[in-house]
Structure formats: structure tokens, C-alpha cells
Amino acid sequence: FENEDAVNIIEAELGLGSRGLKNLFIEFSEGPVAAASLGQVYKGKLKNGAEVAIKVQRPDVLETIACDLYLLRLAEPILEQ
């Protein structure tokens, strides 16, 4: 998913306010350093100098997984043949 969406999720979840990521981080990677089917990981440096990984879950991932599982259950009788 888009970096802008990930940043918006991070800012909302952490309650970072109008200054956004700058309220907490002195450095933040421009793009994900890792990605998987469930989310992405960004690298950041807190104002106290600590380097951290920020994991962001993909939007609507739970609904997507629930739909996938439902479809698998529907397909099961066909696949068993």
C-alpha cells in the first residue's frame, strides 16, 4: 500500500497531532524497509536517539483475510473432488 497511507495510519494510531511524525521522530525512512502480506515496516529514530522499527498493518487486512477464508471454505468441496 502507499507510503502516504502508512504515514497517515502511524500518525493516527500514535496521536501525533498537526506536526505528524516530527512530533516523535528525528528520522523516518521514506519507504518501507520490509513488506509482507499483512503490513510494512519502516525505520525511524526517536528524539532520544533510539532507533526503532515501526510496523504498520495494511488497511482492511482483517476484512480481506476473513473474505479469503470464506472463499476457501466455499471452494473446499470442489478441491476435495
Side-chain angles (χ1 to χ4, degrees):
F1 58 102
E2 299 294 324
N3 288 333
E4 183 178 342
D5 294 334
V7 169
N8 289 337
I9 292 168
I10 294 166
E11 291 174 340
E13 291 290 322
L14 297 178
L16 296 179
S18 62
R19 290 201 56 210
L21 296 176
K22 293 177 183 173
N23 278 331
L24 186 59
F25 301 99
I26 56 175
E27 293 178 15
F28 193 86
S29 59
E30 291 190 24
V33 294
S37 58
L38 299 179
Q40 297 177 342
V41 179
Y42 291 80
K43 182 179 178 182
K45 185 181 279 191
L46 299 175
K47 289 185 174 183
N48 68 7
E51 292 187 1
V52 295
I54 304 96
K55 296 186 337 182
V56 185
Q57 187 172 319
R58 291 186 183 278
D60 304 319
V61 71
L62 294 178
E63 292 85 355
T64 302
I65 291 172
C67 182
D68 289 347
L69 291 173
Y70 174 75
L71 292 172
L72 283 171
R73 278 188 235 118
L74 286 178
E76 181 181 16
I78 298 168
L79 296 173
E80 287 181 348
Q81 295 179 1

